[in-house]
Amino acid sequence: MVGEINTVSFTLNGKVQVVKGEDGDGVSLAKYIREVALLTGTKVSCGEGGCGACIVTVSKFEGDTPRAVNSCLSPVMICDGWSITTVEGLGGKAVGYHPIQTALAATGGTQCGYCSPGMVMQLHSYLQEHPDATVKDIDNILDGNICRCTGYRPILDAFKEFGSDAPHKFSHLIADIEDLSLKGI
């Protein structure tokens, strides 16, 4: 077939990956990350790019600004020359956690944890594209990420800490409803 790609090469968390056409035919980047590279932090939930669980950070060529990509929608065979970072590439128990991961945990922004890697990668990618993002900018970036547990407030509390105009302390957090009293009622 004319123009058929037989092999692609890309980096995944700094390690070179080579995929031959017959091995990558019909395989999404998310499936490759999870089933071949065995990096299970990247999740697949909807498989349609609507939930954000599969987000990774991608630079498509040298000097490209990193951006968020829904890996469930990206065929692995289009990733030639890409530099891809998953949540494991940001940090972890063995090498230390990334500040975004630490902040999310500190605010109670994870419950089941299924959406957390995608949320972390969304903010990481956004800050790569917009290093001077404000609290308001960050407040609006999670429209493509779904969380069914936390109600988003603790996630946004953590993420707003990275705004260029943030007070950089957790003193502004809103009390949980469970912590409010009924004094005077």
Side-chain angles (χ1 to χ4, degrees):
M1 177 188 240
V2 175
E4 187 175 329
I5 298 175
N6 293 323
T7 304
V8 296
S9 174
F10 56 89
T11 62
L12 182 60
N13 298 333
K15 296 180 182 174
V16 175
Q17 308 288 311
V18 178
V19 183
K20 294 180 180 176
E22 64 271 10
D23 297 330
D25 189 33
V27 176
S28 70
L29 177 57
K31 185 173 183 170
Y32 181 88
I33 290 168
R34 292 183 57 77
E35 296 179 13
V36 178
L38 303 177
L39 299 171
T40 56
T42 300
K43 309 296 186 214
V44 177
S45 182
C46 72
E48 298 176 351
C51 70
C54 67
I55 291 176
V56 295
T57 302
V58 168
S59 294
K60 293 185 177 182
F61 52 86
E62 186 70 35
D64 185 29
T65 301
R67 65 202 62 212
V69 169
N70 291 85
S71 62
C72 73
L73 297 179
S74 301
V76 74
M77 294 307 289
I78 70 165
C79 299
D80 196 47
W82 291 15
S83 175
I84 302 162
T85 304
T86 68
V87 71
E88 292 93 344
L90 285 187
K93 188 175 181 180
V95 296
Y97 293 101
H98 187 277
I100 297 172
Q101 295 167 315
T102 302
L104 189 62
T107 61
T110 61
Q111 284 186 15
C112 80
Y114 197 84
C115 71
S116 302
M119 298 274 190
V120 166
M121 295 311 296
Q122 175 71 350
L123 180 61
H124 176 262
S125 300
Y126 189 79
L127 292 175
Q128 299 300 302
E129 284 188 271
H130 309 278
D132 296 320
T134 65
V135 169
K136 184 176 180 179
D137 295 334
I138 291 170
D139 194 33
N140 291 315
I141 67 166
L142 296 181
D143 59 350
N145 294 77
I146 295 175
C147 175
R148 294 183 177 105
C149 300
T150 66
Y152 294 97
R153 187 181 64 217
I155 297 166
L156 285 171
D157 287 341
F159 285 8
K160 287 177 183 178
E161 295 294 320
F162 296 91
S164 60
D165 58 346
H168 298 294
K169 52 189 166 201
F170 292 110
S171 62
H172 68 286
L173 298 179
I174 301 168
D176 278 336
I177 195 166
E178 295 87 6
D179 296 333
L180 299 177
S181 71
L182 297 175
K183 293 179 187 174
I185 294 181

